[in-house]
Amino acid sequence: MSAADDIGRGDIGCLNLRWSLALLEGMVSAGLRHLVLSPGARSTPLLIAAQRLEVAGCLQLTPILDERSAAFFALGIARAQLRPVALLATSGSAPAHWYPAVIEAAEVGLPLLLLSADRPPRLRGWGANQTIDQTRLFGAFVREFLDPGLPQATAPALKAQRALGRRVALVSSGQRAGPVHLNLPFDEPLVPGPACTAAVDLEGAEPPLRSVDAGSIAVESVVNVAECNDSEGNETGFARLKTGPVAEWSREAEPREVEPHGAEPMVTRLEVELRSWPAGRGLILCGPGSELRTPVSSAPRLSLAPSLWRCAEALALPVLVDPLSGLRASAQPAIAETQISAYDSFLRHPKVARVLRPDWVLRIGRAPVSKLLGQWLEGVPAILVSETGVWSDSSHDALLRLELPAAAVCDALRVQGRVKPRPDWLARWRAAEQETWRLVDASLAQASPSSGLASSATDTSADLRLRPSPAVQEARIDERKAGLLRTLSWSEAQVIAALRAAIPDGEALFCANSMPIRQLDTWWRAGGAQVTLLGNRGASGIDGYLSTLAGIHQAGLACWGLVGDLSLCHDLSGLLLATRLDRPLLVLNNGGGHIFDYLPQRGLADFERLWQTPQRVELSALAALAGLRHWRVEDAEGLDAALSEVGLTPGMIECVIDPEVSRQAHLAFWEWIRVSSFPGPDISEA
Ligand SMILES: Cc1ncc(C[n+]2csc(CCOP(=O)(O)OP(=O)(O)O)c2C)c(N)n1
């Protein structure tokens, strides 16, 4: 029976289902594999269709009550897998709760398909129940908004609906990846009648549409829906998916190495463009999102790393790697020569900051977490590279903008010969990098409780091997050092060092905004651990933390957590998803929002009540609510013990941090950097 027959029989419910199946089949044929739904009546046709596709092995469904949490959960899956994830909600205020996650997805370019069910257009504006104007609800935060109207029974209309599904999945994961909103009105009845024969029709699907653009994450995520079934026509994949990680089921889970840019014409074109490259000493800055791939991302997006490191090595260029650049991990010695991660510390040294100032900067990815770095680079001519068209130039210093894959630019720069290698320039950066990490290591070792020096700062100058410049008073250094040792005995530095040691290679850490991401920037040294560092840095919100973490886990990536106490409390409905976590969550509990302690607001009237807003919540009670074991630790030894007890299982480790001690530790560390002599090659003489 056809859709026209549905009308003939008056079975609008059946037509609704056919319409919904066509849409979702189109999406599945273009790479959709996961739909996150929140309960409601108006979305029933789409939900029944999704349910049928789940039975056919093509789609996995996750119900999440709170739409805000559902959207961050979907964002987490999309972030880890780099493939479209759909959200489904009923009419009224429900889809509005997606908003913060939609903003984040729009800012960082992650593929969310927003399916809001709606009442028929004739009811809009007439006071009908649960009926609001949902058109263009997300304004400029979606790549496309489409409203195909009420289901229609004609074959061309159903074909168009299937095409619409493919289109939005491809647009959401294309070169300008991001959220796409479909508003989908349905008339009642919403449930099909008993005679309805509408069924999943994968065989009847059009041949897979391939959509190719310069940097699309969808280029090869387009699959034939026939892949949903194995050769015997049995269900595959998603039945197993419920218990196993992505790598077990996804044919595309293995990140494929794509040879960097055999695209000769592009390199040739770039050679011409690059003739206007500025002269002098340069550096490469890799901000958040420079390398988007994760161990479970399915799309074979071109990898930046091989081209980047080859270029940096050949041209002796320092590469500053933001914690969220995807480029802090690497154990290869050749990479270590050019990889710089301690800039937020050593650029606080006035002379180092002066000597290392470049003549140009090649900016890849988004603005760095380090505010200091951003300010230091102000006025330096910049070459912006973004294949997705993002402008990352808040200081307005762009000289040249290349809307091209960064890997292609690196390849072209390397072969073009305009940038002359200056080993002395790179050596200066390496010296600053190494000296900073030497100071960090020495201070952490000296401050560890087992050294017996945490409470006594006397007689340690030999061990610390401080080399004061002649201009600096010895007494002043000792005073700073004493303060540092006292304060560094337990603060975020120890937590991050312990985490770095505990997380196995191949796993991930999702870090919350506010101070945790800044602490990570300061204390997580590049190289070594092969850990994927992730964060929601698009809008730098403290919202949706637990929900996103649960989504990353759902995507099959073993992911640890690091979060402040307010961020945790902000996503209380995310606690309902915490049973899905499979790795420890570390909470930096400093009793409120202590980022403000570093800002001019500190000390304003009623500062604690109105800015810091401590919640006075027992985290052990939250852990119990979430079904997580709980440890409360107050020193490095306690943390080590908790980490070894929790191992690779879920649990909440509450790290109690005294905010004032932490602030003093950081101020003392920065001051210590400021007064150290940094005696590396050329720095002392320059
Ligand atoms: C959704 C959202 N609301 C408010 C803010 C403003 N904000 C930034 S940091 C912060 C405090 C976060 O506190 P916590 O997570 O405990 O981390 P801490 O600053 O103590 O390290 C707030 C409220 C924000 N970034 N995002």
Side-chain angles (χ1 to χ4, degrees):
M1 259 189 290
S2 69
D5 298 328
D6 298 338
I7 300 284
R9 287 194 327 275
D11 193 347
I12 298 293
C14 194
L15 176 61
N16 286 339
L17 179 56
R18 279 188 211 283
W19 187 250
S20 301
L21 276 169
L23 181 76
L24 292 182
E25 283 166 8
M27 290 178 179
V28 164
S29 77
L32 177 69
R33 289 291 178 274
H34 205 119
L35 181 143
V36 184
L37 65 113
S38 300
R42 192 58 52 167
S43 45
T44 298
L46 285 158
L47 185 51
I48 296 175
Q51 208 177 12
R52 301 263 175 104
L53 283 159
E54 186 178 45
V55 170
C58 292
L59 195 61
Q60 187 185 17
L61 308 188
T62 303
I64 293 179
L65 174 62
D66 172 357
E67 289 82 5
R68 190 170 72 131
S69 184
F72 277 109
F73 181 84
L75 185 84
I77 301 176
R79 177 65 196 85
Q81 290 189 345
L82 297 178
R83 69 185 310 158
V85 181
L87 278 159
L88 175 63
T90 191
S91 65
S93 60
H97 293 274
W98 292 336
Y99 226 120
V102 172
I103 291 173
E104 180 68 22
E107 293 299 315
V108 296
L110 287 177
L112 293 184
L113 304 176
L114 313 168
L115 313 182
S116 59
D118 201 356
R119 310 276 159 140
R122 67 175 184 277
L123 297 180
R124 290 181 202 154
W126 292 94
N129 179 45
Q130 213 175 315
T131 309
I132 63 160
D133 184 1
Q134 297 176 187
T135 53
R136 304 198 180 276
L137 183 61
F138 301 100
F141 291 105
V142 286
R143 302 295 185 256
E144 283 195 341
F145 165 76
L146 294 143
D147 186 338
L150 284 168
Q152 295 170 45
T154 64
L158 284 166
K159 183 181 174 196
Q161 188 70 348
R162 191 190 293 270
L164 181 64
R166 291 198 292 179
R167 168 177 163 172
V168 293
L170 289 171
V171 166
S172 77
S173 52
Q175 182 161 353
R176 299 200 177 192
V180 175
H181 180 199
L182 279 186
N183 194 52
L184 299 155
F186 293 103
D187 230 330
E188 293 181 13
L190 300 164
V191 177
C196 180
T197 56
V200 172
D201 180 14
L202 298 173
E203 297 306 316
E206 293 78 17
L209 167 70
R210 298 180 70 81
S211 168
V212 178
D213 56 41
S216 165
I217 62 177
V219 170
E220 294 198 30
S221 70
V222 181
V223 292
N224 192 322
V225 283
E227 284 187 14
C228 293
N229 295 324
D230 66 18
S231 50
E232 281 93 48
N234 297 323
E235 287 177 25
T236 60
F238 292 98
R240 268 180 288 138
L241 171 66
K242 281 167 195 149
T243 50
V246 166
E248 281 173 32
W249 58 268
S250 169
R251 288 158 208 239
E252 299 173 315
E254 275 297 300
R256 269 170 272 164
E257 271 307 322
V258 178
E259 260 307 296
H261 304 280
E264 286 306 327
M266 192 189 283
V267 172
T268 315
R269 217 188 83 206
L270 263 169
E271 276 182 45
V272 178
E273 294 296 332
L274 300 188
R275 284 190 196 137
S276 59
W277 201 269
R281 298 169 301 188
L283 62 85
I284 303 177
L285 167 57
C286 292
S290 294
E291 181 78 286
L292 276 175
R293 301 198 319 173
T294 75
V296 299
S297 57
S298 58
R301 192 186 178 95
L302 294 175
S303 174
L304 167 62
S307 300
L308 171 74
W309 298 121
R310 261 205 292 258
C311 170
E313 191 187 1
L315 303 181
L317 289 173
V319 182
L320 279 56
V321 285
D322 183 89
L324 301 178
S325 63
L327 294 157
R328 268 216 183 169
S330 177
Q332 296 173 33
I335 292 173
E337 280 307 302
T338 54
Q339 194 181 33
I340 305 288
S341 58
Y343 45 82
D344 188 75
S345 298
F346 63 67
L347 290 176
R348 292 171 195 274
H349 188 292
K351 194 155 120 194
V352 172
R354 203 173 54 246
V355 169
L356 296 183
R357 195 167 163 83
D359 298 307
W360 54 264
V361 53
L362 170 60
R363 283 176 177 263
I364 302 171
R366 299 172 52 79
V369 167
S370 169
K371 188 173 173 183
L372 182 94
L373 175 61
Q375 288 172 339
W376 177 75
L377 280 171
E378 274 180 30
V380 175
I383 300 95
L384 307 184
V385 178
S386 166
E387 65 194 283
T388 61
V390 169
W391 286 87
S392 184
D393 182 30
S394 59
S395 59
H396 315 115
D397 290 310
L399 196 70
L400 177 64
R401 180 171 175 269
L402 301 167
E403 205 171 310
L404 293 165
V409 175
C410 289
D411 287 345
L413 196 61
R414 177 170 54 84
V415 297
Q416 192 235 21
R418 211 180 143 77
V419 173
K420 298 275 169 273
R422 297 164 186 262
D424 58 322
W425 167 242
L426 180 61
R428 285 183 188 182
W429 280 88
R430 278 242 57 78
E433 173 81 0
Q434 282 168 348
E435 180 65 3
T436 306
W437 289 116
R438 196 187 65 74
L439 293 176
V440 170
D441 289 345
S443 58
L444 287 179
Q446 293 297 324
S448 83
S450 53
S451 74
L453 291 169
S455 57
S456 162
T458 57
D459 201 23
T460 57
S461 54
D463 293 330
L464 284 170
R465 296 195 302 274
L466 274 181
R467 285 171 277 193
S469 70
V472 177
Q473 295 291 317
E474 194 75 43
R476 188 171 162 221
I477 292 182
D478 281 346
E479 190 191 316
R480 300 292 176 202
K481 186 177 63 188
L484 182 68
L485 285 176
R486 262 197 310 279
T487 49
L488 265 187
S489 62
W490 171 244
S491 74
E492 294 87 345
Q494 274 82 4
V495 177
I496 287 163
L499 254 182
R500 193 170 179 274
I503 303 180
D505 280 1
E507 300 202 349
L509 170 66
F510 178 56
C511 184
N513 284 315
S514 197
M515 288 312 285
I517 188 66
R518 293 179 170 83
Q519 311 281 9
L520 195 76
D521 196 8
T522 304
W523 305 114
W524 189 284
R525 181 184 196 157
Q530 296 295 304
V531 174
T532 303
L533 301 177
L534 299 171
N536 276 346
R537 204 64 194 156
S540 298
I542 60 162
D543 44 357
Y545 176 80
L546 281 172
S547 305
T548 311
L549 179 62
I552 295 169
H553 160 78
Q554 178 70 42
L557 186 52
C559 192
W560 299 54
L562 182 67
V563 62
D565 51 303
L566 283 199
S567 263
L568 181 80
C569 291
H570 202 288
D571 192 18
L572 281 186
S573 64
L575 275 181
L576 299 174
L577 308 179
T579 47
R580 296 166 176 271
L581 305 183
D582 65 354
R583 288 292 182 273
L585 169 68
L586 274 68
V587 185
L588 297 170
N589 186 4
N590 54 15
H594 282 278
I595 191 171
F596 304 116
D597 296 2
Y598 295 85
L599 302 178
Q601 287 84 341
R602 179 181 143 86
L604 291 181
D606 234 356
F607 178 62
E608 180 180 320
R609 186 171 69 97
L610 303 180
W611 276 269
Q612 293 174 327
T613 62
Q615 298 298 301
R616 310 200 196 292
V617 172
E618 274 302 329
L619 295 195
S620 56
L622 294 188
L625 189 67
L628 294 174
R629 287 185 296 160
H630 173 261
W631 288 260
R632 183 181 157 94
V633 300
E634 300 188 6
D635 54 33
E637 280 174 339
L639 177 59
D640 285 346
L643 282 171
S644 68
E645 272 178 50
V646 72
L648 300 181
T649 68
M652 181 191 289
I653 302 179
E654 176 186 357
C655 303
V656 181
I657 303 281
D658 180 324
E660 191 47 29
V661 168
S662 166
R663 198 177 74 92
Q664 290 300 335
H666 287 92
L667 296 181
F669 180 68
W670 295 334
E671 183 59 17
W672 191 25
I673 292 279
R674 263 193 286 272
V675 299
S676 293
S677 60
F678 280 89
D682 291 344
I683 286 181
S684 48
E685 294 87 46

Short mmCIF file of all heavy atoms in Angstrom, two decimals, residues 7 18 29 92 112 139 184 221 254 265 270 306 311 402 433 508 535 545 572 597 666 675:
data_model
loop_
_atom_site.label_atom_id
_atom_site.label_comp_id
_atom_site.label_asym_id
_atom_site.label_seq_id
_atom_site.Cartn_x
_atom_site.Cartn_y
_atom_site.Cartn_z
N ILE A 7 -4.10 8.00 2.79
CA ILE A 7 -5.06 9.11 2.79
C ILE A 7 -6.46 8.56 2.54
O ILE A 7 -7.43 8.92 3.21
CB ILE A 7 -4.70 10.14 1.70
CG1 ILE A 7 -3.30 10.70 1.96
CG2 ILE A 7 -5.74 11.25 1.61
CD1 ILE A 7 -3.21 11.70 3.05
N ARG A 18 5.28 7.11 7.32
CA ARG A 18 6.01 7.00 6.04
C ARG A 18 6.92 8.23 5.84
O ARG A 18 8.05 8.13 5.41
CB ARG A 18 5.03 6.97 4.87
CG ARG A 18 4.43 5.64 4.62
CD ARG A 18 3.62 5.67 3.32
NE ARG A 18 2.50 4.75 3.40
CZ ARG A 18 2.63 3.43 3.28
NH1 ARG A 18 3.80 2.89 3.05
NH2 ARG A 18 1.57 2.65 3.38
N SER A 29 21.33 7.14 5.38
CA SER A 29 22.14 6.90 4.18
C SER A 29 23.29 7.90 4.09
O SER A 29 24.25 7.69 3.36
CB SER A 29 21.28 6.98 2.92
OG SER A 29 21.01 8.33 2.60
N GLY A 92 6.74 22.91 21.62
CA GLY A 92 6.67 23.80 22.79
C GLY A 92 8.05 24.23 23.24
O GLY A 92 8.95 24.45 22.42
N LEU A 112 25.04 18.37 14.53
CA LEU A 112 23.83 17.98 15.24
C LEU A 112 22.63 18.19 14.30
O LEU A 112 22.53 19.23 13.64
CB LEU A 112 23.62 18.84 16.49
CG LEU A 112 24.62 18.70 17.63
CD1 LEU A 112 24.18 19.56 18.82
CD2 LEU A 112 24.78 17.25 18.07
N GLY A 139 17.96 30.78 15.38
CA GLY A 139 18.53 31.96 14.75
C GLY A 139 19.73 31.64 13.87
O GLY A 139 19.69 30.73 13.05
N LEU A 184 9.27 19.97 12.17
CA LEU A 184 8.48 18.94 11.50
C LEU A 184 7.07 18.86 12.08
O LEU A 184 6.83 18.20 13.10
CB LEU A 184 9.21 17.60 11.64
CG LEU A 184 10.60 17.61 10.99
CD1 LEU A 184 11.52 16.60 11.60
CD2 LEU A 184 10.48 17.41 9.48
N SER A 221 31.83 9.63 5.05
CA SER A 221 30.92 9.07 6.04
C SER A 221 29.61 8.68 5.37
O SER A 221 28.73 8.13 5.98
CB SER A 221 30.66 10.06 7.17
OG SER A 221 29.90 11.13 6.69
N GLU A 254 38.25 2.75 12.82
CA GLU A 254 39.70 2.90 12.79
C GLU A 254 40.07 4.19 12.07
O GLU A 254 39.78 4.35 10.89
CB GLU A 254 40.31 1.73 12.03
CG GLU A 254 40.53 0.51 12.90
CD GLU A 254 41.53 0.80 14.01
OE1 GLU A 254 42.67 1.14 13.70
OE2 GLU A 254 41.15 0.70 15.19
N PRO A 265 47.79 20.32 -7.30
CA PRO A 265 47.34 21.63 -7.78
C PRO A 265 47.17 22.62 -6.64
O PRO A 265 47.50 23.79 -6.76
CB PRO A 265 45.99 21.31 -8.43
CG PRO A 265 46.03 19.85 -8.72
CD PRO A 265 46.92 19.23 -7.70
N LEU A 270 49.02 27.33 -3.83
CA LEU A 270 49.46 27.93 -2.57
C LEU A 270 50.84 28.55 -2.69
O LEU A 270 51.12 29.58 -2.10
CB LEU A 270 49.48 26.86 -1.48
CG LEU A 270 48.24 26.82 -0.60
CD1 LEU A 270 48.25 25.59 0.26
CD2 LEU A 270 48.18 28.07 0.27
N PRO A 306 50.88 14.95 10.50
CA PRO A 306 52.09 14.61 9.71
C PRO A 306 52.65 15.82 8.97
O PRO A 306 53.86 16.06 8.97
CB PRO A 306 51.59 13.55 8.74
CG PRO A 306 50.35 13.00 9.36
CD PRO A 306 49.74 14.12 10.14
N CYS A 311 56.67 20.10 8.46
CA CYS A 311 56.92 21.51 8.14
C CYS A 311 57.74 22.16 9.25
O CYS A 311 58.74 22.85 8.99
CB CYS A 311 55.58 22.21 7.95
SG CYS A 311 55.68 24.00 7.82
N LEU A 402 43.72 32.06 4.63
CA LEU A 402 43.67 30.94 3.71
C LEU A 402 42.55 30.01 4.14
O LEU A 402 42.64 29.37 5.19
CB LEU A 402 45.01 30.19 3.71
CG LEU A 402 46.22 31.05 3.31
CD1 LEU A 402 47.52 30.34 3.64
CD2 LEU A 402 46.16 31.40 1.83
N GLU A 433 61.29 26.37 26.95
CA GLU A 433 60.39 25.25 27.23
C GLU A 433 61.03 24.30 28.26
O GLU A 433 60.42 23.95 29.27
CB GLU A 433 60.11 24.51 25.91
CG GLU A 433 59.33 23.22 26.00
CD GLU A 433 57.82 23.42 26.11
OE1 GLU A 433 57.37 24.58 26.11
OE2 GLU A 433 57.10 22.41 26.23
N ALA A 508 41.06 9.29 26.93
CA ALA A 508 40.82 10.72 26.78
C ALA A 508 40.55 11.38 28.13
O ALA A 508 40.23 10.70 29.11
CB ALA A 508 39.63 10.95 25.84
N GLY A 535 37.50 19.42 25.36
CA GLY A 535 36.81 20.43 26.15
C GLY A 535 35.72 21.07 25.31
O GLY A 535 35.74 20.96 24.09
N TYR A 545 28.42 19.84 31.42
CA TYR A 545 29.68 19.10 31.52
C TYR A 545 29.47 17.58 31.59
O TYR A 545 30.01 16.82 30.79
CB TYR A 545 30.51 19.58 32.72
CG TYR A 545 31.75 18.74 32.87
CD1 TYR A 545 32.86 18.98 32.07
CD2 TYR A 545 31.78 17.64 33.72
CE1 TYR A 545 33.97 18.16 32.12
CE2 TYR A 545 32.89 16.82 33.78
CZ TYR A 545 33.98 17.09 32.99
OH TYR A 545 35.07 16.26 33.02
N LEU A 572 23.25 19.29 37.00
CA LEU A 572 22.76 18.26 37.91
C LEU A 572 21.95 17.20 37.19
O LEU A 572 22.00 16.02 37.55
CB LEU A 572 21.92 18.88 39.04
CG LEU A 572 22.74 19.53 40.16
CD1 LEU A 572 21.83 19.97 41.29
CD2 LEU A 572 23.81 18.59 40.70
N ASP A 597 38.74 34.98 41.48
CA ASP A 597 39.81 35.44 42.37
C ASP A 597 40.96 36.07 41.59
O ASP A 597 41.77 36.82 42.13
CB ASP A 597 40.39 34.27 43.17
CG ASP A 597 39.36 33.65 44.11
OD1 ASP A 597 38.21 34.12 44.11
OD2 ASP A 597 39.72 32.71 44.84
N HIS A 666 49.86 29.68 42.48
CA HIS A 666 50.02 30.11 41.09
C HIS A 666 50.73 31.45 41.00
O HIS A 666 51.61 31.63 40.14
CB HIS A 666 48.65 30.13 40.39
CG HIS A 666 48.17 28.75 40.12
ND1 HIS A 666 47.37 28.05 40.99
CD2 HIS A 666 48.45 27.90 39.11
CE1 HIS A 666 47.16 26.85 40.51
NE2 HIS A 666 47.81 26.72 39.37
N VAL A 675 61.37 35.82 38.01
CA VAL A 675 62.69 36.18 38.56
C VAL A 675 63.77 35.14 38.23
O VAL A 675 64.91 35.30 38.62
CB VAL A 675 62.62 36.39 40.10
CG1 VAL A 675 61.67 37.52 40.43
CG2 VAL A 675 62.23 35.11 40.82
#
